[in-house]
Amino acid sequence: MNKITLSRYGIDPPIEIPDGFFATLVVEPKNIFYKYVSELKNQIEGCTEQNFHLIFNNNTLPMDKHAFGIFDFFNLNLNSKTITNLLLKKLGDFLVRTNQEERITNIEKNIYEIIDDFSLSSGLNIEYNESINATTLAKLCGLKISDSSLSLLEKVFNYIDLYCELLPTKIFILVFGKEFFTLDEVYQLYEHCYDKQLRLLIVENSDSYPLLKNENRLIIDQDQCIITQNNALSHNILI
């Protein structure tokens, strides 16, 4: 059975997420909570200080390559630089896979005729790229992912799907997930991660939610005592 473990000095036992489970880390002391969240975010962004250790089947994995997360729902951006680069790659792959060379050539011809006409009319010596690729086409069209009509849960699903195509991800970390979603939506999120062969870790500051099916919960209470709970039911049983 494949198992993801997230360990850190001071958290004993470590956070374990076996296949078919998700985990919740509850850190009640606020100073420790924000310290842990900051460490996780920094490591995902490539910080060299490694306080948390991501272990998959006894192999330690770099978190900036195998983990991603949402740490601020108010700044959830489906058009970040990372995702935009992925979108350009997907567009480029599509152009090649579907043999769009002739259509691109026609677009180039029409654009260059317009530029040449403008150059003659204005008397300016104008230079331009002599070929159109996925990047120039995307910039020309203002290509981006539209999220105006999506619910927050749908945005998170899209965010997960994009990152799973970008990186060999193993774990998705969600801060305050249970405050922004109903318990049913939390379980839908777990199911979505499960379908993507991705482990879900939710980080909370209070233990005020019932234990869900297939949930491992590790609680660091105000006295910094560690309490573990789990609900070992089959992954395909919904609420």
Side-chain angles (χ1 to χ4, degrees):
M1 177 182 292
N2 294 327
K3 181 174 69 175
I4 287 283
T5 301
L6 195 62
S7 66
R8 187 197 185 281
Y9 177 78
I11 301 179
D12 188 17
I15 305 160
E16 294 189 345
I17 318 177
D19 190 22
F21 283 78
F22 73 99
T24 301
L25 171 63
V26 178
V27 186
E28 293 185 342
K30 287 191 175 181
N31 61 323
I32 300 177
F33 169 80
Y34 287 111
K35 176 180 175 64
Y36 286 179
V37 167
S38 178
E39 289 176 354
L40 288 167
K41 183 175 184 292
N42 289 339
Q43 284 187 232
I44 286 174
E45 293 176 350
C47 177
T48 55
E49 186 177 359
Q50 303 293 308
N51 295 298
F52 281 89
H53 301 280
L54 180 64
I55 303 166
F56 178 67
N57 290 343
N58 298 319
N59 296 313
T60 301
L61 304 176
M63 287 190 63
D64 60 327
K65 297 291 190 298
H66 296 275
F68 68 108
I70 296 175
F71 295 85
D72 182 0
F73 279 101
F74 295 105
N75 289 303
L76 178 57
N77 183 10
L78 292 182
N79 291 288
S80 66
K81 183 176 180 180
T82 300
I83 293 178
T84 298
N85 289 338
L86 173 62
L87 191 62
L88 293 177
K89 180 181 181 302
K90 289 174 68 67
L91 176 60
D93 292 343
F94 169 79
L95 295 178
V96 173
R97 187 179 66 253
T98 56
N99 299 315
Q100 300 292 329
E101 290 88 349
E102 183 177 348
R103 296 177 70 183
I104 293 296
T105 299
N106 289 333
I107 292 173
E108 288 179 341
K109 180 181 177 182
N110 291 331
I111 291 175
Y112 298 153
E113 286 179 353
I114 292 172
I115 298 300
D116 288 339
D117 288 346
F118 171 68
S119 179
L120 289 171
S121 174
S122 64
L124 299 173
N125 185 19
I126 296 175
E127 295 182 353
Y128 50 81
N129 293 329
E130 295 184 357
S131 64
I132 291 179
N133 55 28
T135 300
T136 53
L137 184 61
K139 289 181 179 179
L140 181 66
C141 300
L143 189 70
K144 66 178 183 177
I145 297 172
S146 175
D147 61 4
S148 58
S149 62
L150 298 178
S151 68
L152 180 59
L153 186 62
E154 289 171 329
K155 289 182 183 179
V156 174
F157 284 170
N158 283 350
Y159 191 82
I160 290 171
D161 294 346
L162 288 164
Y163 264 91
C164 284
E165 292 193 37
L166 178 67
L167 297 171
T169 49
K170 298 295 184 185
I171 186 170
F172 173 54
I173 300 170
L174 194 64
V175 177
F176 289 131
K178 292 180 180 178
E179 291 195 11
F180 284 86
F181 297 115
T182 66
L183 295 182
D184 182 63
E185 287 174 330
V186 169
Y187 209 81
Q188 289 181 54
L189 185 58
Y190 152 67
E191 287 284 294
H192 192 80
C193 289
Y194 182 86
D195 290 341
K196 295 291 180 179
Q197 299 182 335
L198 184 69
R199 306 301 164 82
L200 170 65
L201 171 64
I202 299 174
V203 185
E204 298 286 346
N205 184 229
S206 65
D207 183 32
S208 56
Y209 306 93
L211 191 68
L212 299 180
K213 298 171 184 178
N214 312 104
E215 178 182 3
N216 279 352
R217 186 176 298 181
L218 191 149
I219 305 165
I220 303 175
D221 68 13
Q222 290 290 355
D223 298 320
Q224 298 188 35
C225 296
I226 294 181
I227 305 164
T228 59
Q229 301 174 343
N230 71 79
N231 197 346
L233 297 176
S234 172
H235 79 272
N236 58 7
I237 300 176
L238 297 177
I239 290 177

